[in-house]
Amino acid sequence: KNTDPTIIVIFGSSGDLAKRKLFPAFQNLFLDGRMPEKFQIIALGRAEKSDEEFHSYVIENLNSFSRKAALSNEETQKFISHITYLRHDIDKEESYQELDSKLNSIDRTFGARANRLFYLSIAPSFIATISGNMKKLRLAANAKQDRIIIEKPFGYDKSSAIDLNEMLSQTFKEEQIYRIDHYLGKETVQNILAFRFGNSMFEPLWSRNFIDFVQITVAEEVGVEERGGFYEGVGALKDMIQNHLLQILCMTAMEAPASLGADDIRNRKADVLKSIRRIKPDEVNHYTVRGQYDEGFIKDKPVPSYRNDKGIAPDSNTETYVAMKIYLDNWRWQGVPFYLRTGKRMQEKQSSIIIQFKPVPHSSFSYDNQGMTPNRLIINIQPAMDIKLQFMTKKPGLSLSLQPAEMIFDYFQCSTMSPEAYETLLSDALAGDPTLFMRWDQVEQAWDAIDTIQEVWKNNAPTDFPNYKAGSWGPEAADELLARQGHAWVANT
Ligand code: BG6
């Protein structure tokens, strides 16, 4: 826990992320006693607002988005008194001078030079201007005390990410840059490490010798909501695969780290990204499937097609679904397909990892027409938070036949409410622990692994969009991707 006096500066404090995630996370950390005794949040925004006006905006949003029950008036006031609103114009140097004076005056009240955590919750196109001005005014000049959190997407391909990183490195040292991927803050994602390396019985099976294939699914019911303008230029490959799904892949496939230190863990994850087999342009169609949703029904409610959603071009070719097959060229995983898929407007919200083990080499059982089900380990990340082990048992009765059975570890049975991903990540950033953030080489490798795909897609417009119904499990081609290998997406309900 960080106990040093700290100032948090939020660029884009009136935006969606701040209202849904950042303020609720700070509030929960505050209620749990995890904020330093002396801290102040400076909320920056373009509009002219008084502190009082901004405070009532925050309170209203806490009531809608915070996981904690409504606060007492006294607690609300206590938390809210730590927030100051400051009008800010990203392009104007005066705004940074005002910010500088504000920071200094808070330091004086604290009686110490506070740590500074800058959260850039703004469109990537503003990052250069902000960091240039911060450099000019030396706002984050203390590499030991000052940190900056950058949201994804970090660039839009490898070369733009390199440019962005070079630009940032003129103002910040690598250890000051916290590239956030909120999936890494999720309890169930962190538990993958605990599960794999805190137990001895799974690890010996965790390789090409016993595993047939791995499936990673991040399916969402929501469409693009209010973010059409942003999403149009991004699409599922960059919005989800490049970061969230590849990070889950890393956690699933990485070697045991020498220690739980940030660099040891990040080295092992970088190894996974490096070992992703790079595919050639003419192989892209063989390894990937892209999709875009048509109109359909989500839980019996009609929803429009992507092209008819708010802020979307009627002839948009942006993909809202991706399925792909990945091979890792290393000793542990040679030949094991990792199937990744993610999509919006899918039948149900579900993030999971399914490890399917190889069949028994020989079986003498009769199955009562039931066929042998493969052994599987299913890690449900959300909304279900559990780990299931599926195996065969004897069917009770006089004959010796088999039936599938399941053992379940369910988070909800053993814990009170888990912290939200942003709470974990903000708390780590406050304490200067970068383990769950993306080091530069990870981001670079992740782009390197998908650049060819986006290049080929950009140069070859899809001919079949929209190609899946809202409320389905995605395009048929995604089933064929697996069927070619005699595999199928595992139903996980
Ligand atoms: C974000 C993506 O990073 O993750 C969104 O930009 C997506 O498009 C979201 O909806 C999903 O996050 P979660 O935590 O709701 O699974």
Side-chain angles (χ1 to χ4, degrees):
K1 182 188 153 186
N2 166 44
T3 50
D4 300 333
T6 301
I7 306 174
I8 297 137
V9 179
I10 304 180
F11 288 87
S13 68
S14 305
D16 210 52
L17 182 74
K19 95 174 170 197
R20 283 171 190 273
K21 301 287 183 192
L22 303 184
F23 286 114
F26 283 122
Q27 177 222 16
N28 289 329
L29 289 173
F30 176 73
L31 293 176
D32 288 343
R34 300 197 62 87
M35 291 302 283
E37 200 184 313
K38 290 182 179 172
F39 80 96
Q40 193 67 23
I41 300 178
I42 306 180
L44 302 178
R46 220 171 342 180
E48 191 72 62
K49 274 182 208 163
S50 66
D51 272 355
E52 290 68 38
E53 280 168 324
F54 192 74
H55 287 170
S56 34
Y57 164 82
V58 173
I59 292 172
E60 197 182 304
N61 290 318
L62 289 179
N63 291 336
S64 323
F65 300 114
S66 175
R67 74 181 166 87
K68 299 253 179 191
L71 294 171
S72 73
N73 205 21
E74 198 191 327
E75 283 171 318
T76 309
Q77 290 313 324
K78 258 197 216 151
F79 171 65
I80 229 75
S81 68
H82 289 272
I83 304 176
T84 314
Y85 182 81
L86 188 63
R87 209 196 85 76
H88 184 91
D89 213 324
I90 287 178
D91 300 317
K92 294 223 172 88
E93 200 179 316
E94 298 94 273
S95 281
Y96 296 85
Q97 283 157 355
E98 284 162 30
L99 175 59
D100 188 30
S101 339
K102 190 77 177 176
L103 288 164
N104 293 332
S105 91
I106 299 174
D107 281 349
R108 278 195 299 277
T109 331
F110 286 169
R113 163 65 159 78
N115 292 353
R116 297 175 179 179
L117 181 66
F118 296 87
Y119 202 114
L120 267 53
S121 173
I122 36 93
S125 54
F126 294 121
I127 299 178
T129 316
I130 294 178
S131 92
N133 279 296
M134 285 178 64
K135 182 182 166 72
K136 222 183 261 173
L137 289 162
R138 302 180 49 78
L139 299 184
N142 187 331
K144 293 249 172 315
Q145 285 191 287
D146 304 335
R147 292 161 206 140
I148 176 168
I149 302 186
I150 312 258
E151 270 291 333
K152 58 165 260 290
F154 194 89
Y156 49 88
D157 58 9
K158 183 172 156 187
S159 103
S160 64
I162 291 176
D163 292 348
L164 174 59
N165 202 55
E166 275 174 5
M167 189 266 296
L168 282 172
S169 63
Q170 290 164 17
T171 310
F172 310 99
K173 299 224 161 73
E174 170 66 22
E175 64 265 29
Q176 292 182 276
I177 306 175
Y178 284 61
R179 299 173 196 83
I180 201 164
D181 181 322
H182 79 279
Y183 266 62
L184 293 177
K186 291 181 191 279
E187 276 288 308
T188 38
V189 173
Q190 290 180 64
N191 188 43
I192 301 169
L193 271 193
F195 180 78
R196 286 192 55 200
F197 303 124
N199 295 297
S200 61
M201 63 184 164
F202 302 106
E203 205 48 30
L205 304 180
W206 213 260
S207 74
R208 63 192 302 274
N209 296 328
F210 299 99
I211 291 177
D212 204 358
F213 61 84
V214 176
Q215 286 179 9
I216 299 176
T217 298
V218 177
E220 299 185 277
E221 280 170 24
V222 291
V224 285
E225 313 298 292
E226 304 301 318
R227 301 160 72 231
F230 160 79
Y231 195 83
E232 267 290 77
V234 180
L237 185 67
K238 287 186 263 197
D239 188 42
M240 301 293 289
I241 299 272
Q242 191 269 349
N243 33 78
H244 305 325
L245 279 92
L246 288 186
Q247 285 300 313
I248 298 175
L249 170 73
C250 287
M251 304 287 271
T252 311
M254 68 192 265
E255 297 299 319
S259 80
L260 293 182
D263 270 331
D264 285 338
I265 291 187
R266 300 201 292 181
N267 288 342
R268 296 293 75 86
K269 287 166 71 178
D271 285 346
V272 175
L273 294 167
K274 276 185 216 153
S275 66
I276 292 178
R277 184 177 303 165
R278 301 324 195 228
I279 53 176
K280 299 191 188 70
D282 63 358
E283 294 171 327
V284 166
N285 283 339
H286 181 78
Y287 281 94
T288 66
V289 172
R290 58 182 154 164
Q292 189 194 69
Y293 60 83
D294 202 349
E295 59 186 11
F297 291 85
I298 302 278
K299 303 244 155 39
D300 296 332
K301 239 188 77 203
V303 294
S305 68
Y306 177 71
R307 289 176 177 180
N308 284 323
D309 245 333
K310 245 182 287 171
I312 308 301
D315 57 353
S316 170
N317 282 331
T318 301
E319 81 283 354
T320 59
Y321 175 97
V322 176
M324 64 189 288
K325 177 166 72 172
I326 285 181
Y327 283 108
L328 300 177
D329 285 330
N330 59 24
W331 274 54
R332 186 188 283 262
W333 295 114
Q334 195 53 237
V336 178
F338 285 76
Y339 300 112
L340 273 51
R341 63 174 168 172
T342 183
K344 295 212 179 273
R345 291 285 189 227
M346 308 272 285
Q347 197 174 91
E348 68 180 36
K349 181 174 165 82
Q350 184 193 116
S351 302
S352 60
I353 305 165
I354 297 180
I355 317 276
Q356 178 152 322
F357 293 92
K358 289 188 170 167
V360 293
H362 169 71
S363 171
S364 331
F365 296 102
S366 78
Y367 311 120
D368 273 3
N369 299 328
Q370 189 156 31
M372 192 95 147
T373 338
N375 290 158
R376 294 191 190 110
L377 181 75
I378 301 183
I379 301 176
N380 281 314
I381 294 171
Q382 64 178 28
M385 292 167 72
D386 56 38
I387 297 179
K388 287 184 193 164
L389 194 57
Q390 298 182 332
F391 52 97
M392 302 302 292
T393 53
K394 180 182 175 302
K395 196 170 185 170
L398 296 180
S399 69
L400 188 55
S401 57
L402 300 187
Q403 67 178 7
E406 206 166 70
M407 284 197 306
I408 304 182
F409 157 72
D410 190 340
Y411 258 81
F412 292 111
Q413 278 173 5
C414 77
S415 85
T416 53
M417 229 166 165
S418 310
E420 280 268 342
Y422 275 92
E423 288 168 46
T424 306
L425 294 173
L426 288 171
S427 162
D428 284 359
L430 287 168
D433 179 355
T435 315
L436 298 178
F437 293 81
M438 315 260 280
R439 202 171 59 187
W440 160 242
D441 57 334
Q442 291 176 281
V443 177
E444 187 183 22
Q445 288 296 328
W447 281 121
D448 194 64
I450 66 154
D451 260 6
T452 312
I453 302 170
Q454 51 168 340
E455 196 59 33
V456 168
W457 284 0
K458 196 166 71 195
N459 297 330
N460 298 277
T463 49
D464 59 346
F465 276 12
N467 61 354
Y468 71 98
K469 275 203 168 7
S472 72
W473 278 107
E476 273 169 25
D479 295 337
E480 289 150 25
L481 177 78
L482 275 65
R484 282 205 298 271
Q485 229 140 331
H487 296 152
W489 296 105
V490 175
N492 175 27
T493 42

